[in-house]
């Protein structure tokens, strides 16, 4: 960096253009981040976890889990291929069955009864938050660079806040 390089001008330009470039990704990350912070508090985002009849004593089979899940029409489950994952909560006495269409079915691990069925929005919000909803490569090629640029904005913003204090300190030091 030569003698003519102006840190103040470079900092302002970097801050200005960086903010413009990452406006949309950071807006998405911020809004979805707020929703994710509230996911355990707001049923609309993620259904609350219920408790089964008897805890710490699962007695139903995988076949019984599948049969119970098939009873929930909205989940559209016909076979194991329609299920994204099982989340077993032994201490709560339930198994959460997540269908590929984002419905969550909570089944009592002792009786095999469906305790709750609700649409789960938290997964799609997480996909929006990390960029994978748009495309798998968006995580690394759009959202990661946005995070790096956001860090640069923090650094340049911090520098711009410090400039007046640095100037005052230099003037005091030189005795002017």
């Amino acid at each position: 960096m030569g003698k003519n390089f102006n840190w103040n001008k470079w900092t302002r330009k970097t801050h200005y253009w960086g903010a413009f470039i990452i406006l949309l990704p950071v807006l998405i990350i911020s809004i979805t981040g707020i929703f994710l912070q509230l996911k355990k508090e707001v049923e609309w985002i993620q259904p609350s976890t219920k408790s089964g009849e008897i805890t710490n004593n699962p007695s139903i089979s995988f076949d019984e889990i599948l049969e119970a899940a098939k009873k929930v029409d909205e989940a559209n489950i016909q076979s194991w291929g329609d299920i994204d994952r099982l989340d077993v909560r032994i201490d709560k006495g339930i198994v959460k069955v997540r269908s590929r269409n984002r419905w969550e079915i909570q089944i009592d691990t002792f009786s095999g009864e469906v305790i709750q069925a609700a649409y789960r929005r938290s997964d799609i919000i997480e996909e929006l938050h990390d960029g994978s909803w748009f495309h798998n490569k968006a995580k690394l090629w759009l959202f990661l660079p946005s995070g790096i640029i956001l860090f640069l904005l923090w650094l340049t913003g911090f520098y711009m806040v410090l400039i007046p204090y640095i100037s005052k300190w230099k003037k005091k030091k030189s005795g002017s």
Side-chain angles (χ1 to χ4, degrees), residues 8-171:
N8 294 342
K9 188 175 181 180
W10 180 86
T11 302
R12 284 192 307 277
K13 281 189 175 191
T14 301
H15 202 81
Y16 175 83
W17 284 107
F20 180 74
I21 290 168
I22 66 168
L23 176 69
L24 190 58
V26 169
L27 185 65
I28 290 168
I29 291 167
S30 298
I31 292 169
T32 56
I34 292 167
F35 279 110
L36 290 174
Q37 288 293 319
L38 296 171
K39 75 180 183 180
K40 300 287 186 186
E41 317 303 323
V42 179
E43 290 268 337
W44 181 82
I45 299 171
Q46 180 174 302
S48 62
T49 302
K50 305 295 182 192
S51 289
E53 190 179 316
I54 297 174
T55 60
N56 297 315
N57 190 16
S59 64
I60 62 171
S61 68
F62 282 109
D63 289 336
E64 290 170 304
I65 292 170
L66 180 59
E67 289 308 311
K70 285 181 180 180
K71 294 177 186 174
V72 178
D73 293 334
E74 297 89 351
N76 199 26
I77 294 174
Q78 305 301 317
S79 69
W80 286 109
D82 300 321
I83 294 174
D84 180 46
R85 70 184 68 162
L86 299 178
D87 179 2
V88 181
R89 304 284 177 101
I90 301 293
D91 61 324
K92 294 271 189 179
I94 62 150
V95 60
K96 293 181 181 185
V97 178
R98 288 197 221 165
S99 68
R100 296 217 181 268
N101 68 358
R102 302 191 191 281
W103 275 81
E104 177 181 282
I105 306 157
Q106 295 183 27
I107 300 169
D108 187 306
T109 57
F110 187 77
S111 69
E113 295 297 315
V114 173
I115 298 172
Q116 173 176 273
Y119 191 74
R120 183 183 172 102
R121 291 171 181 85
S122 60
D123 296 335
I124 195 167
I125 294 169
E126 286 176 19
E127 290 171 6
L128 284 165
H129 186 72
D130 71 10
S132 62
W133 183 83
F134 303 101
H135 191 279
N136 276 339
K137 294 198 185 271
K139 290 169 73 168
L140 292 176
W141 296 103
L142 183 61
F143 281 69
L144 176 62
S146 294
I148 293 167
I149 293 170
L150 184 60
F151 181 68
L152 262 174
L153 290 178
W154 180 83
L155 288 173
T156 57
F158 187 68
Y159 177 76
M160 287 189 289
V161 167
L162 286 179
I163 289 172
Y165 298 104
I166 292 170
S167 296
K168 285 180 188 177
W169 179 74
K170 284 182 179 178
K171 284 180 184 177

